[in-house]
Amino acid sequence: MQQTSQSVRPRPDRSAALDPASAGLATTLTLAAMSLGYGVVQLDVTIVNTALNAIGAALGGGVAELQWVVSAYTIAFAAFILTAGALGDRIGAKRIFMAGFALFTAASAACALAPDAVTLIAARCVQGLAAAILVPNSLALLRHAYADDKARGRAVGIWAAGASLALTAGPFVGGALITLVGWRAIFLVNLPIGIAGLWLAWRYAGETTRHQSHELDLPGQFAAIAALGTLAGALIEGGALGWSHPLVIAGFVLAAGFAALFVWREARAPQPMLPLSLFGERLFALSSLVGLLVNVAFYGLIFVLSLYFQQVNGLSAFQTGLAFVPMLGVVLPANLIAPRLAERVGAPATIALGAAITAAGCLATLGIDRDTSYPAICLQLIAMSGGLGLLVPPLTSTLLGSVEPQRAGIAAGVLNATRQTGSVLGVALFGSLVGRSAAFITGLHAALVISAGVLLAAGALIWIGASSQVRQ
C-alpha cells in the first residue's frame, strides 16, 4: 500500500504577528544566525591549516597524519550532508540546525582536550558531522526567510560573506592564539560563536514545513561514507606507501565498488538520499560539478600552501596566519560584488569569470620555489581567492533556484556534499604530491597545474552548458 504523503504544520513563526519593522529585524537576525553557522564551519578550515605544524609537533606524525586531521572533518562533512538536508526537510530545518550547532560546539571542546592524534581525528569527525548539519539547513532557513529571488540572492551573498570573514580572520586569530596560548585554543573560540548562534536561531528563525514522508536512506548513507573514506585513504596513503602498494590499489578498488553500490542504491531506493532525478536539471548538475572541481583546487592548495609556509619557509604559526590574510581577505568584498555582477551579466558568466581568475592565479604562481619571497606571490594568491569569492554566491543561488522550494534542503546538501568531496580529494591528492620533502616543490607545481586545469574546465562547463540550455 502506498504511503500517503503528509505534511506537519510547524509552529507559527514568531515574526508572523510582528509589525513590518520587527519582522524585518527578525529576518535580518535570522540571516545573522545562519551566517554564524556557516562561518564557524569555515573558520575551522583555515585555523586548523595554520596549526598543522603545532599539532604535528605536539601529537607527532608526518604529512599523512596531518592530512587525516584535515580530511576527517571534510569526509564526515561530505558524507553526512545529504542526510542532514533530508533530516531538515523531515523534522524541520530550525530544529536540525540548532542540534548541529550544539554538537559542533561540544565537538570543538573535545578537539581542544584531545590527548593524542587519534582522539583529535575522532573529534574532528564529529565536528564534520555537525558541519554537515549546519550548512544545508542554514540555506534552507534562508530560503524560508527570503521568498523573493533577488532578495534571497543578496542574502546568500551576505551568508557567504560571513563565512569569508571567518576564513579571513581564521589565520590571523589562529596564529595569534597558537603563539600566545597554544594550538588547543583554536578550537575553544568556537564555543562563544556556538552559543550566540544557538540563541539567535532559537529566538528569531522561523521553522520550515515538515515533510514526514521524507525517509532516511541509511544504506545509501553507509555506502557514501565507505566510498569517500576509502578513496581519501587510498589517496593519502598513496603518497606515503607508493601508488603501486597493494593496500593503496585495494583502496581504490574498494572505493570504486562502494561508489557503484551507492549509485545502484540511489537509483532503486524509494526515497533516495541523493535523488538522481535532480541531475536531469542541467543547471543543477553543472553547479554541483563545478562546486566539486573548484574545491579540489582551492582547499587542496590551502593545505599545501600551509605546509609550504611553515615547513619550507620556516614561518611561525602567527606569520603563516599573516601570510594568508591578504589572500583570504579579498573573498569578502568579492562575495558582496558577486550578486550584483550576476544580476548584470548572468550567474553562469560570473561563475566562469571567477573560475578563470582563480586559474590565472594558479598559473602565475608556477615560478614559486624554496627561496621565493612572499611579496613575489602575494598578488597571485589574492587572485586565487578573489575568483573563488566571485563564483560561490551565484553558484549557490543558481543551484537553489533550479529546484522547487520543498527540495531546498536536499539541493543545498548536494551542492555542499560535492564541494566537500572536492575538498577531501584536493587535500588527499595534493598532500600526497608534496608528502616527500625532497619533492615538495615539484609536487606543489603539479598541484598548481592540476588546479588551473580543473578550474578552467569548471568555467567552460558552466558557460557552455548554460548557453546551450538558453538556446533550447
Side-chain angles (χ1 to χ4, degrees), residues 77-364:
F77 195 165
F80 286 103
I81 200 167
L82 292 173
T83 295
L87 272 173
D89 290 340
R90 179 178 173 83
I91 300 174
K94 178 177 176 177
R95 291 175 178 84
I96 298 301
F97 177 83
M98 293 183 63
F101 231 147
L103 184 62
F104 194 97
T105 305
S108 297
C111 288
L113 299 173
D116 52 48
V118 173
T119 306
L120 176 60
I121 291 169
R124 289 282 287 164
C125 281
V126 179
Q127 265 195 321
L129 168 61
I133 294 170
L134 285 173
V135 175
N137 288 291
S138 69
L139 279 171
L141 288 170
L142 282 184
R143 175 112 194 197
H144 179 69
Y146 294 88
D148 178 70
D149 287 346
K150 186 174 180 180
R152 184 175 63 246
R154 294 189 176 184
V156 169
I158 295 171
W159 172 83
S164 302
L165 183 61
L167 278 171
T168 304
F172 178 78
V173 173
L177 287 172
I178 293 163
T179 301
L180 296 174
V181 182
W183 67 266
R184 297 179 188 276
I186 66 172
F187 295 108
L188 295 176
V189 298
N190 296 336
L191 274 60
I193 298 173
I195 292 169
L198 277 168
W199 185 83
L200 286 171
W202 170 78
R203 179 65 181 84
Y204 295 105
E207 184 59 282
T208 58
T209 301
R210 292 186 290 168
H211 301 276
Q212 289 190 340
S213 60
H214 290 191
E215 298 179 357
L216 300 183
D217 177 19
L218 295 181
Q221 176 67 84
F222 293 139
I225 296 170
L228 190 54
T230 52
L231 179 57
L235 288 170
I236 290 172
E237 298 303 326
L241 301 176
W243 299 107
S244 60
H245 194 282
L247 288 177
V248 175
I249 295 173
F252 284 123
V253 171
L254 282 173
F258 283 125
L261 180 62
F262 175 74
V263 173
W264 179 86
R265 165 65 188 179
E266 298 312 284
R268 288 160 178 78
Q271 294 196 27
M273 183 175 80
L274 174 58
L276 299 182
S277 60
L278 286 173
F279 293 94
E281 169 56 49
R282 179 174 294 181
L283 280 181
F284 180 92
L286 289 173
S287 299
S288 301
L289 179 58
V290 168
L292 184 145
L293 295 175
V294 166
N295 272 33
V296 167
F298 189 77
Y299 286 98
L301 288 176
I302 288 287
F303 178 81
V304 171
L305 288 170
S306 297
L307 295 178
Y308 172 78
F309 288 137
Q310 295 174 75
Q311 296 186 359
V312 177
N313 282 359
L315 300 186
S316 67
F318 183 66
Q319 290 171 321
T320 299
L322 290 176
F324 275 118
V325 168
M327 177 183 183
L328 299 175
V330 73
V331 177
L332 175 59
N335 281 159
L336 297 175
I337 292 169
R340 289 167 175 78
L341 181 61
E343 290 169 13
R344 292 194 175 196
V345 303
T350 305
I351 296 166
L353 176 62
I357 291 172
T358 304
C362 294
L363 294 175

Side-chain angles (χ1 to χ4, degrees), residues 370-418:
R370 290 184 176 273
D371 57 354
T372 301
S373 66
Y374 177 74
I377 60 171
C378 184
L379 289 179
Q380 295 92 310
L381 300 181
I382 289 173
M384 291 182 200
S385 289
L388 179 79
L390 200 61
L391 69 85
V392 168
L395 182 70
T396 305
S397 188
T398 296
L399 182 134
L400 285 178
S402 68
V403 300
E404 56 271 25
Q406 62 267 30
R407 304 183 86 178
I410 191 65
V414 172
L415 175 61
N416 285 283
T418 55

